[in-house]
Amino acid sequence: MLTTADLDFFSTVARSPSLAAAARELDVTPSAVTQRLQELERRLGVRLVDRSGRHIALTDEGELLASRGRALADDIAELTETLSARGGAVAGHLRVVAPFGFGRAYVAPVVASFQQEHPAVTIDLMLSDRRGKVTDHSWDVAVHIGELPESSFVTRPLAANDRVLCAAPSYLARHGTPDAPRDLLTHRCIALRENDEDVTLWRFGRRGAPAVQVRIEPVLASNDGDVVRAWALSGEGIIVRSEWSIADDLRAGRLVRLLDAYTLPDAPVVALVGPRKGRSARTTAFVRALQQALTPVPWRAETPS
């Protein structure tokens, strides 16, 4: 007879490129995964995985177990959580994904305080600036900043967040201040590569005027927002950065907002949850905790954080 532990185990195996990768996710040895898989196949009397190649290939029976088993496990987890919630308990395992910088600054503290408030919940926080590379079934809540592609996920607003064009006073003293978006073509620009976006196409809006797009040629680029901010602070060039990251620098005058007559596409902070996962007590409670922590919006407070 199958158990929920069997379903969870095989779901991990099915979505992994190899048994070694499954072992890393399960935090066991590859031999332990092989032995458990063999025992599961023996009990069911069918072969679930073709292990003749370098990568995992599911048999027809394996495909059936992977698809039906995940749904069954979700149903059981949802039922358990519903019953626990009626008793006032928030329990279970929560997997959270968030961008590196924002996750360290704003999500990690909420994770810690939420676990203290709900000791029956265990939480994994994964920081990644490329959520598209993190498989959808490997998380319960994803914190996202910026434009969203079309998806089936439920979006919960967390906080307003603008994108800001800015540079250090030392840079402007040496190179001058741009008056219009086209002037950026003759300036040193720095790009932040995140979310698989087209980061060299900067788009500007202006009330009562057509939008303007500028294709910059960055002199510096990085996938780390802290690195890009540090370059800007040292006077290396002009950046487009999320308000949450540079609000204190703008208030202190370390960075100067440019092209005030124009606007960049905003980058709201939202939580993404799946239609089913959004109903779980722990997911709902955690999203509510995030909303409370970001209300009022911290980076728009009068006192620098």
Side-chain angles (χ1 to χ4, degrees):
M1 179 177 293
L2 285 169
T3 66
T4 54
D6 292 331
L7 298 178
D8 289 337
F9 165 75
F10 191 71
S11 176
T12 301
V13 171
R15 67 173 180 258
S16 301
S18 66
L19 293 183
R24 286 192 294 272
E25 183 168 345
L26 293 167
D27 196 23
V28 298
T29 64
S31 61
V33 170
T34 300
Q35 292 172 7
R36 187 170 178 182
L37 179 59
Q38 290 173 341
E39 170 60 19
L40 180 59
E41 290 176 327
R42 185 193 64 77
R43 281 193 281 123
L44 295 176
V46 295
R47 192 169 181 81
L48 300 172
V49 175
D50 180 2
R51 299 184 286 278
S52 58
R54 294 184 61 184
H55 299 286
I56 289 176
L58 301 183
T59 63
D60 289 344
E61 292 76 13
E63 292 281 3
L64 177 62
L65 179 58
S67 60
R68 294 284 300 278
R70 184 68 268 165
L72 288 171
D74 287 343
D75 285 340
I76 294 170
E78 185 177 334
L79 176 60
T80 302
E81 289 164 8
T82 300
L83 293 172
S84 297
R86 290 190 176 187
V90 177
H93 188 61
L94 189 64
R95 297 161 298 182
V96 181
V97 176
F100 276 111
F102 190 86
R104 286 192 293 264
Y106 293 104
V107 180
V110 177
V111 167
S113 61
F114 185 82
Q115 202 285 321
Q116 291 178 358
E117 184 178 353
H118 304 285
V121 176
T122 58
I123 308 175
D124 280 346
L125 173 61
M126 178 178 180
L127 300 182
S128 173
D129 283 329
R130 302 184 70 184
R131 188 186 59 79
K133 299 300 181 183
V134 182
T135 53
D136 295 339
H137 46 250
S138 66
W139 51 265
D140 299 296
V141 179
V143 176
H144 182 84
I145 301 175
E147 300 175 40
L148 276 172
E150 292 294 327
S151 74
S152 60
F153 299 116
V154 177
T155 303
R156 306 294 187 199
L158 296 178
N161 176 57
D162 291 339
R163 282 193 172 104
V164 179
L165 183 78
C166 58
S170 59
Y171 172 85
L172 299 175
R174 293 195 310 272
H175 299 279
T177 302
D179 296 317
R182 293 291 176 188
D183 294 344
L184 295 172
L185 296 175
T186 61
H187 277 268
R188 291 172 57 87
C189 295
I190 301 172
L192 173 60
R193 304 191 184 280
E194 59 181 352
N195 291 336
D196 298 322
E197 296 177 0
D198 185 353
V199 297
T200 63
L201 185 64
W202 290 0
R203 295 171 292 169
F204 297 87
R206 191 176 187 181
R207 185 181 297 275
V212 178
Q213 296 188 150
V214 178
R215 175 71 69 180
I216 65 162
E217 294 185 5
V219 295
L220 294 168
S222 175
N223 67 334
D224 189 307
D226 288 341
V227 169
V228 167
R229 172 177 168 270
W231 283 337
L233 288 170
S234 64
E236 295 296 332
I238 296 174
I239 64 171
V240 170
R241 194 71 181 97
S242 276
E243 177 188 6
W244 72 263
S245 172
I246 57 167
D248 288 352
D249 297 319
L250 293 173
R251 275 190 288 264
R254 293 186 292 267
L255 292 174
V256 177
R257 188 187 295 261
L258 304 175
L259 301 183
D260 282 340
Y262 296 84
T263 59
L264 289 156
D266 61 2
V269 184
V270 300
L272 304 178
V273 294
R276 294 172 60 84
K277 293 172 182 174
R279 295 195 297 266
S280 72
R282 64 176 179 270
T283 299
T284 301
F286 182 73
V287 171
R288 188 183 304 117
L290 284 173
Q291 291 172 326
Q292 291 172 349
L294 297 175
T295 304
V297 179
W299 46 91
R300 293 185 176 179
E302 290 297 326
T303 303
S305 59

